Amino acid sequence: MIQLPKIRDIVVKVALILLPFILIGMAFGYVYQAIAIGLLSIIIWHYFHLLKAIHWLWYDNNSAPYNAKGAWALLFDGLFQLQRKHKQKRKELGLLIKRFRKGAESLPDAVVVFTTDRTIVWCNTLAQIMMGFKMPSDIGNRLDNFLRHPEFIHYLEQKEYDEPFEFSSPLNEHITLECRIAPFEKNQWTLIARDVTQLRLMEQMRKDFIANVSHELRTPLTVMRGYLEMLPNDEAPSMGIWPQAHKMMSEQSQRMEALVEQLMTLTRLENAQPTQYAKPTDVPALLEKIQSDAIALSNNQHEITLNIDKSLWMLTDKEQLRSAFSNLIFNAVKYTPAGGKIEIEWLSDDKGGAKFCCKDNGQGIAPEHISRLTERFYRIDEARTRDSGGSGLGLSIVNRILKIHDSKLTITSRRQVGSQFGFVINKKFICPPESQ
Ligand code: ADP
């Protein structure tokens, strides 16, 4: 710790400096002039050091400050130490930035750092290869000068970066890039993009394959079923097993037909857009119809109640909505033992949208299955659900339909207590009843 000089010491020092001037002044009879000369020399001495300090700060601050005396020595020492600390910090920061860049270079993804006003700050080599940036000449250029897709600009403007965004590379439209944006530091963001071309191609191949297989299976199945229906099961020639075989073949071909239908529905839904077939749909009437179908399916073995807000219509594709509702409600019938209770609700929510809920007091679902129920062909008890005609595709169809409507399925369930399947529909899909 440096000891600062006291006022008294300073006064003594100035007095000692002036003393020879006073004595000489007294000897020659010019005391005041001699004091003035003494004070002037003190000012010149300080001014000289001030100039030295300015020179050192601006032009020569790499070397140690020159050997000053008195208070100037303290000032120079302080400045020198501050400067050394500052240099050390700069070195550390430089190393940190170098390490960050090295890390970002070793990533298998393209990384671009940009500011809130979309100015490029930095990008790694992969970003240059995949998106055509040039470093360092593109630093300071705007990101949307390179990535001009209107949807991408809308995505940037919205600032809702939970979901990734896909776009084709500005260098090659056949390359699909998937990007995510995350906050980097204050007013700065990182865009991380990866090439998903192969993945999307494979997905498309899978979809096409399923669509083609389902389509090709439909005709032979219809023919088989047609003949089976024409052949009554008790008029078969001498074969003892014929009635049983006929029954099994009819059932299985029916199952296959349903499966093919469901696969084709899924394929159609995968390509559907939310607004494609949207029309005002009388949801209450649709639910009443599904309720009566469910009563028929249940053979009047369940108590099925409806609690609906008649004013909640929806802008949607009626068939999609029918499929979502009936999958959930018919499942409740299938997986609730006779005598059980099923409650269906369609009510407004507190955000101006609507919520649907189908609650049963059936067999329930163990917690480990819940998160997997919407996977294709996922069934809990395969043998049992197969007996009940289940394919494991129903909930994945519901999930897909809800995705088209910006919603998702919520499932709560307890074994032997019952299950609740529900979803919320955003107010943008809700419309008032149409006057008929
Ligand atoms: P499935 O056509 O087999 O019914 P889903 O995809 O509709 O296929 O359902 C997947 C599985 O979820 C079913 O196999 C069944 O085990 C379970 N499940 C669906 N709904 C209910 C429910 N309400 N209660 C109990 N289990 C259910």
Side-chain angles (χ1 to χ4, degrees):
M1 216 23 201
I2 282 172
Q3 200 75 48
L4 282 179
K6 293 192 179 102
I7 298 278
R8 201 191 57 198
D9 299 342
I10 297 172
V11 173
V12 170
K13 218 171 184 173
V14 172
L16 281 175
I17 294 170
L18 288 180
L19 190 64
F21 289 91
I22 294 169
L23 290 176
I24 296 169
M26 277 168 74
F28 290 98
Y30 293 105
V31 178
Y32 292 115
Q33 288 86 337
I35 291 176
I37 292 171
L39 286 173
L40 194 67
S41 38
I42 292 176
I43 291 172
I44 290 172
W45 184 81
H46 277 295
Y47 195 67
F48 168 76
H49 278 86
L50 182 67
L51 287 178
K52 280 261 183 195
I54 291 171
H55 181 265
W56 179 76
L57 268 176
W58 283 92
Y59 306 109
D60 195 22
N61 63 6
N62 280 331
S63 59
Y66 81 106
N67 238 344
K69 294 269 174 303
W72 286 100
L74 294 180
L75 181 74
F76 275 118
D77 280 353
L79 282 174
F80 191 54
Q81 269 184 33
L82 261 181
Q83 194 210 27
R84 265 210 334 236
K85 263 192 212 155
H86 181 66
K87 266 192 190 154
Q88 184 62 26
K89 271 241 158 70
R90 268 216 332 236
K91 208 166 140 190
E92 280 169 19
L93 268 174
L95 277 176
L96 212 72
I97 291 175
K98 252 192 203 154
R99 269 169 52 194
F100 162 77
R101 290 190 174 167
K102 236 178 162 177
E105 287 295 358
S106 67
L107 285 176
D109 302 326
V111 181
V112 185
V113 180
F114 65 97
T115 58
T116 305
D117 61 2
R118 302 181 205 159
T119 310
I120 299 167
V121 175
W122 180 81
C123 70
N124 68 356
T125 315
L126 259 183
Q128 297 170 48
I129 296 169
M130 278 162 43
M131 292 186 260
F133 300 114
K134 287 197 177 61
M135 278 290 112
S137 54
D138 282 333
I139 293 178
N141 282 347
R142 282 178 66 98
L143 185 66
D144 42 0
N145 281 350
F146 291 88
L147 311 172
R148 290 163 179 266
H149 307 265
E151 290 101 6
F152 179 71
I153 292 170
H154 179 65
Y155 178 71
L156 279 181
E157 276 165 1
Q158 268 196 329
K159 295 211 165 80
E160 280 170 18
Y161 302 134
D162 295 343
E163 293 292 320
F165 180 81
E166 268 182 33
F167 58 98
S168 43
S169 156
L171 297 182
N172 181 348
E173 60 176 60
H174 300 298
I175 293 181
T176 310
L177 301 176
E178 182 194 74
C179 83
R180 284 187 172 274
I181 294 180
F184 177 55
E185 56 180 28
K186 197 169 172 249
N187 293 333
Q188 289 199 356
W189 302 82
T190 17
L191 177 150
I192 300 168
R194 64 184 182 126
D195 186 346
V196 290
T197 318
Q198 287 304 321
L199 208 72
R200 295 294 168 262
L201 270 177
M202 273 162 65
E203 268 172 18
Q204 194 51 47
M205 270 164 62
R206 179 184 57 81
K207 281 182 203 165
D208 291 348
F209 174 75
I210 293 178
N212 292 340
V213 168
S214 323
H215 191 76
E216 293 304 323
L217 276 174
R218 200 149 70 157
T219 318
L221 265 172
T222 317
V223 173
M224 242 171 75
R225 286 240 311 135
Y227 278 116
L228 279 170
E229 271 161 23
M230 277 158 56
L231 273 175
N233 64 5
D234 50 357
E235 275 183 23
S238 59
M239 283 166 65
I241 59 159
W242 177 244
Q244 175 66 5
H246 186 278
K247 182 171 167 276
M248 288 292 285
M249 284 196 293
S250 301
E251 274 174 14
Q252 291 306 316
S253 60
Q254 236 169 35
R255 247 200 85 215
M256 265 176 89
E257 227 169 23
L259 191 70
V260 167
E261 267 321 309
Q262 281 187 315
L263 277 173
M264 288 182 67
T265 309
L266 254 180
T267 313
R268 265 198 309 276
L269 287 172
E270 267 177 348
N271 302 318
Q273 295 300 315
T275 50
Q276 214 169 6
Y277 309 103
K279 282 203 187 91
T281 302
D282 184 351
V283 182
L286 183 65
L287 280 171
E288 277 162 6
K289 171 79 181 61
I290 296 172
Q291 180 198 26
S292 59
D293 291 347
I295 292 170
L297 177 74
S298 121
N299 222 350
N300 253 325
Q301 306 265 300
H302 301 85
E303 185 192 340
I304 305 176
T305 61
L306 264 190
N307 176 15
I308 48 178
D309 181 337
K310 296 242 177 196
S311 68
L312 291 174
W313 282 37
M314 242 182 102
L315 277 173
T316 182
D317 174 299
K318 190 174 176 180
E319 286 319 306
Q320 282 183 14
L321 198 64
R322 184 199 305 281
S323 175
F325 283 147
S326 49
N327 264 308
L328 296 177
I329 296 169
F330 295 168
N331 269 352
V333 174
K334 278 195 290 183
Y335 301 111
T336 303
K341 199 172 165 198
I342 295 159
E343 294 165 51
I344 303 160
E345 275 182 5
W346 173 247
L347 300 169
S348 53
D349 76 346
D350 45 11
K351 290 187 185 139
K355 51 182 193 224
F356 170 82
C357 174
C358 176
K359 191 171 159 193
D360 64 58
N361 60 356
Q363 64 189 47
I365 304 159
E368 67 268 22
H369 296 295
I370 291 182
S371 62
R372 301 198 55 194
L373 286 183
T374 53
E375 284 174 23
R376 288 174 186 201
F377 298 109
Y378 191 83
R379 285 167 298 193
I380 297 170
D381 180 343
E382 294 213 8
R384 233 173 47 204
T385 41
R386 202 177 292 123
D387 287 349
S388 65
S391 63
L393 283 174
L395 292 182
S396 50
I397 290 178
V398 175
N399 200 36
R400 183 62 213 159
I401 294 170
L402 293 184
K403 201 163 176 196
I404 296 173
H405 292 86
D406 290 350
S407 179
K408 56 177 190 257
L409 192 62
T410 48
I411 309 169
T412 45
S413 185
R414 271 178 63 199
R415 291 284 291 139
Q416 311 306 341
V417 175
S419 314
Q420 190 167 325
F421 289 74
F423 55 83
V424 173
I425 295 290
N426 188 290
K427 70 172 178 199
K428 72 179 177 197
F429 292 102
I430 303 298
C431 64
E434 229 177 30
S435 47
Q436 279 137 14

